[in-house]
Amino acid sequence: MSGANMDKSITLPADEIFRNLENAKRFAIDIGGSLTKLAYYSTVQHKVAKVRSFDHTGKDADQALLYEISEQEEITARLHFIKFENTYIETCLDFIKDHLVNTDTKVIKATGGGAYKFKDLIEKKLGLKVDKEDEMTCLIKGCNFVLKNIPHEAFVYVKHADPEFRFQTTHPNIFPYLLVNIGSGVSIVKVETEDKFERIGGSSIGGGTFWGLGALLTKTKKFDELLQLAAKGQHTNVDMLVKDIYGGGYQILGLTGNLIASSFGKSSTVDKEFSKEDMAKSLLHMISNDIGQLACLYAKQHNLSQVYFGGFFIRGHPVTMHTITYSINFFSKGEVQALFLRHEGYLGAIGAFLKGAEEDNPNLYSWGENYAGSSGLMSTSPDVFPMQRSRSGTFSFDMLEMDRLERQLVNLPLLFDPSSYVPDTVDLTEDAMAREYWLTCFEDALEGVAKRAVASQPDAKDAADRAGKFQQKYWNKLQTLRHQPFAYGSLTVRSLLDTREHCLNEFNFPDPYSKVSIRFKIILAIVYNVDLNFFFNRIRRVLCRFLEPWSIFLLAC
């Protein structure tokens, strides 16, 4: 593969992308038609706060030491997933080769159609043997992984709502479900267990059909540009509606007047030129309606209520999510919801990585999204979604990081229905007034938290510098959440605290209040208001997810 068509003039910001490469091992890559998704495993060393409590039964508890906090170095396993345009693949491979220090890795797992196209380039640049994995197997493994480990992974899309994302609480048992993967064609897969799945149907009319016919109709060769045309179009100028035939609805059959009777039907009866935008929108509706009806029929035939959509055709684009949602709602009469995934673009890379890490069995552990190093769900504006811009101004990338937790999380067995339990009292994603209040609270408290972080490590010469970086990073996260409250799923006070904790950990501040007495912490909680909510939300989460009584005190502080 020649590098003539690749951009090699960019400079990658090492502190933002391909992080912890010096500790990286076990690579995987998923190369699609336009995007590359790279995965690797690394270890991160950071400080953690350890709490030791004392039993003072029968003693004067007011005078005795209740607990002792110490900081220890700990190594945590982290998974990195980076998404970028294929144009930059050679530059990225060079960057990895130059920054990779020690690795015993000899093989890179690869999936996706581009794995064949770029095989020689990958092997030449990295000196690793490319081991191809089945695309559908990787996709299913990746889907299972995110559904089990990311609480608000799935969402429904409501076009005119504010915000337009409605996140779903994942049921403890994610199986069975239907995955509708819309690439060039359509594959409809029934997933029954971790390793058992079956392709039960599909269609040759998919994303490739939309792209191909769209290019013929509009002379637009780029898929994203075709979607942008569709977003501006009005399909009723091209489609023949029920009311165009009957003057209104066809009540006996239950058909409303605005229902499409014939896609592109007006093109044979109206003597005029149709705009590119209108033709693209009509084509999008035609393809989406066909896929939606198929998905509904298979869901009903197999008695499945969870239907997830993914693939190149979806890829987070609002216009495709809306048309698919409308189609599913219409054909199922509201009985089936179209579900989309926050990290849909990473499923193949995650699955390929898991295939290469089977000896370590990652499924024995629970993993949590590291908000400090993850991009989150981007704005739905077609001008910026789904990628974000790096500081270089020329390289688009998107990231997901997941940290291995100390123990596998379980649902509290005493809960009557774990799937309906919601530990948060207010969803700030939907309550704009509450969102403004809490974001302001966290912004106002940020300087004080940074000062406490410095005070918690009086012997560290670089504490002030690290605290400044923490302050800037968390401030940037808060500003992102002001504009995109849906970035990391449902926004709650708990998730704001988790994000702050992740940013503190990023700069080696495990407990900024470690030098503060327990009594003073309670006073601070009352004064700052935010931390009081932190206290109770932490206890509620711990009771739900962890069963060790001692961890309540550890996490609440």
Side-chain angles (χ1 to χ4, degrees), residues 129-194:
K129 180 186 175 184
V130 172
D131 187 7
K132 185 77 168 63
E133 291 290 345
D134 176 68
E135 191 169 357
M136 188 57 67
T137 301
C138 291
L139 193 70
I140 299 301
K141 276 189 170 292
C143 191
N144 293 342
F145 185 83
V146 296
L147 287 175
K148 287 191 300 182
N149 288 283
I150 302 180
H152 293 143
E153 175 63 25
F155 63 89
V156 297
Y157 182 78
V158 185
K159 182 180 180 181
H160 298 295
D162 182 22
E164 58 266 52
F165 301 95
R166 292 287 183 267
F167 293 95
Q168 309 294 295
T169 301
T170 304
H171 194 282
N173 183 12
I174 65 172
F175 305 109
Y177 66 85
L178 200 67
L179 179 63
V180 183
N181 188 53
I182 314 171
S184 298
V186 180
S187 285
I188 300 176
V189 184
K190 179 183 179 182
V191 184
E192 298 185 69
T193 66
E194 190 69 46

Side-chain angles (χ1 to χ4, degrees), residues 190-255:
K190 179 183 179 182
V191 184
E192 298 185 69
T193 66
E194 190 69 46
D195 300 306
K196 184 180 179 182
F197 64 88
E198 176 189 4
R199 185 183 188 274
I200 57 175
S203 172
S204 61
I205 301 174
T209 313
F210 173 70
W211 197 350
L213 284 177
L216 291 173
L217 290 168
T218 68
K219 308 304 179 185
T220 301
K221 297 296 183 181
K222 293 186 177 180
F223 184 83
D224 288 351
E225 289 180 7
L226 193 59
L227 282 177
Q228 289 182 33
L229 285 176
K232 300 172 184 176
Q234 178 55 260
H235 74 97
T236 55
N237 292 333
V238 182
D239 293 340
M240 184 176 292
L241 308 183
V242 170
K243 66 182 179 182
D244 294 324
I245 301 174
Y246 298 104
Y250 196 156
Q251 303 302 328
I252 294 177
L253 296 181
L255 305 177

Side-chain angles (χ1 to χ4, degrees), residues 523-541:
I523 295 173
L524 278 177
I526 295 171
V527 170
Y528 277 98
N529 197 13
V530 172
D531 286 317
L532 183 62
N533 198 79
F534 174 42
F535 187 88
F536 290 112
N537 269 289
R538 278 293 187 182
I539 287 179
R540 190 158 56 228
R541 185 176 72 167

Side-chain angles (χ1 to χ4, degrees), residues 364-538:
L364 286 178
Y365 307 96
S366 289
W367 300 78
E369 183 175 2
N370 175 30
Y371 299 142
S374 298
S375 305
L377 195 59
M378 292 293 104
S379 166
T380 56
S381 166
D383 296 326
V384 295
F385 192 86
M387 310 296 278
Q388 68 175 2
R389 292 286 168 188
S390 75
R391 294 180 314 190
S392 66
T394 58
F395 180 62
S396 299
F397 66 91
D398 189 76
M399 297 181 300
L400 166 65
E401 290 184 357
M402 297 192 72
D403 289 343
R404 192 173 74 189
L405 306 182
E406 290 183 12
R407 59 187 61 80
Q408 192 169 34
L409 302 184
V410 297
N411 289 285
L412 184 66
L414 296 179
L415 286 174
F416 178 73
D417 181 10
S419 64
S420 64
Y421 175 73
V422 180
D424 306 290
T425 54
V426 180
D427 186 346
L428 304 182
T429 319
E430 300 185 11
D431 192 329
M433 187 177 296
R435 180 169 71 244
E436 172 64 26
Y437 170 78
W438 282 108
L439 286 172
T440 301
C441 280
F442 277 91
E443 288 173 352
D444 292 344
L446 183 53
E447 185 176 354
V449 174
K451 288 179 179 178
R452 287 286 173 191
V454 175
S456 71
Q457 299 177 4
D459 299 327
K461 295 180 179 180
D462 64 341
D465 180 58
R466 286 185 287 114
K469 291 179 180 178
F470 149 72
Q471 191 170 350
Q472 185 60 54
K473 183 152 199 169
Y474 189 53
W475 174 267
N476 291 341
K477 292 290 181 183
L478 291 175
Q479 303 321 301
T480 296
L481 291 168
R482 278 192 178 277
H483 299 292
Q484 297 158 199
F486 45 78
Y488 299 104
S490 292
L491 182 63
T492 65
V493 175
R494 183 165 56 99
S495 69
L496 286 171
L497 287 158
D498 283 342
T499 306
R500 188 176 75 178
E501 183 179 324
H502 293 176
C503 291
L504 282 165
N505 288 336
E506 189 76 14
F507 298 101
N508 248 345
F509 294 111
D511 184 2
Y513 294 100
S514 61
K515 302 299 182 184
V516 182
S517 73
I518 187 65
R519 294 179 180 82
F520 188 53
K521 283 186 181 183
I522 294 175
I523 295 173
L524 278 177
I526 295 171
V527 170
Y528 277 98
N529 197 13
V530 172
D531 286 317
L532 183 62
N533 198 79
F534 174 42
F535 187 88
F536 290 112
N537 269 289
R538 278 293 187 182

